Amino acid sequence: MSINSQSEIAANLQVGPTDQGMVRIYIEAEGVDLPLDFDADEATEIAEELLAAAETVRRAGSQKGAPKKPRR
């Protein structure tokens, strides 16, 4: 499966600090419990990648004439 493949799998995503000084991304789905721990620098890099991907999608949508959604 690639990043562009759609899936019918539903999952819960939680993000937060651990008591060990790490940032945890926790993914839970049927039969899957996946805790992923990152130090602060790695977590910042992930956040920057998410923001860059969101901006790319936002720009692509505006080029296609799609209405912009308001920022929260």
Side-chain angles (χ1 to χ4, degrees):
M1 176 176 273
S2 73
I3 200 160
N4 287 319
S5 299
Q6 291 188 356
S7 171
E8 296 295 322
I9 298 171
N12 295 315
L13 175 72
Q14 297 177 37
V15 179
T18 70
D19 59 1
Q20 300 295 311
M22 302 293 281
V23 175
R24 177 166 289 172
I25 297 175
Y26 183 77
I27 301 167
E28 179 184 24
E30 188 173 325
V32 176
D33 289 306
L34 184 60
L36 303 167
D37 292 343
F38 304 93
D39 66 30
D41 290 337
E42 291 171 318
T44 298
E45 287 179 28
I46 292 166
E48 289 170 351
E49 289 179 31
L50 283 167
L51 289 169
E55 186 58 33
T56 298
V57 170
R58 195 174 285 118
R59 277 192 308 252
S62 67
Q63 291 175 1
K64 293 179 183 179
K68 288 188 175 182
K69 291 187 177 184
R71 286 188 140 181
R72 295 181 189 189

